[in-house]
Amino acid sequence: MLFSKAKRNNSMLLSKAKIGQTFNIKSVEGKEKTKKFLFTLGCFEGEEVTLISKLAGNFVINIKDSRYAIDENMAKTIVLDA
């Protein structure tokens, strides 16, 4: 459901991004606990995020000159402007 919603709105999920690409965050979906955690990392609407690498199901991202590792489920909650 989330993927089809993102596809319709000319967006894509962070989990589908290619390494080295930078995008603006369109929205963060999912459970409130996950959204709050990502917000503490600086992951919110309008912020730039760069996918640095994908290793063993983890996504290393760069937000505001800081790097974080998040799992694939969290990466699927981040909708990007494509």
Side-chain angles (χ1 to χ4, degrees):
M1 183 173 115
L2 183 62
F3 180 72
S4 61
K5 179 181 173 184
K7 202 72 163 154
R8 266 197 321 267
N9 296 331
N10 199 23
S11 303
M12 73 178 210
L13 301 176
L14 178 62
S15 61
K16 301 294 182 186
K18 294 196 186 314
I19 294 171
Q21 290 183 314
T22 300
F23 295 95
N24 285 323
I25 298 171
K26 188 169 190 174
S27 66
V28 179
E29 307 290 333
K31 296 181 181 176
E32 197 61 33
K33 185 177 178 181
T34 302
K35 288 165 55 170
K36 284 182 181 180
F37 173 74
L38 290 171
F39 186 79
T40 64
L41 302 182
C43 186
F44 48 84
E45 186 177 334
E47 192 61 47
E48 277 192 353
V49 61
T50 304
L51 180 60
I52 303 300
S53 67
K54 295 180 191 178
L55 298 169
N58 292 310
F59 292 72
V60 178
I61 58 174
N62 186 25
I63 301 174
K64 293 187 174 187
D65 296 326
S66 296
R67 289 184 180 196
Y68 303 102
I70 60 173
D71 66 16
E72 187 172 6
N73 290 330
M74 281 193 194
K76 288 180 178 177
T77 67
I78 301 171
V79 181
L80 308 171
D81 275 330

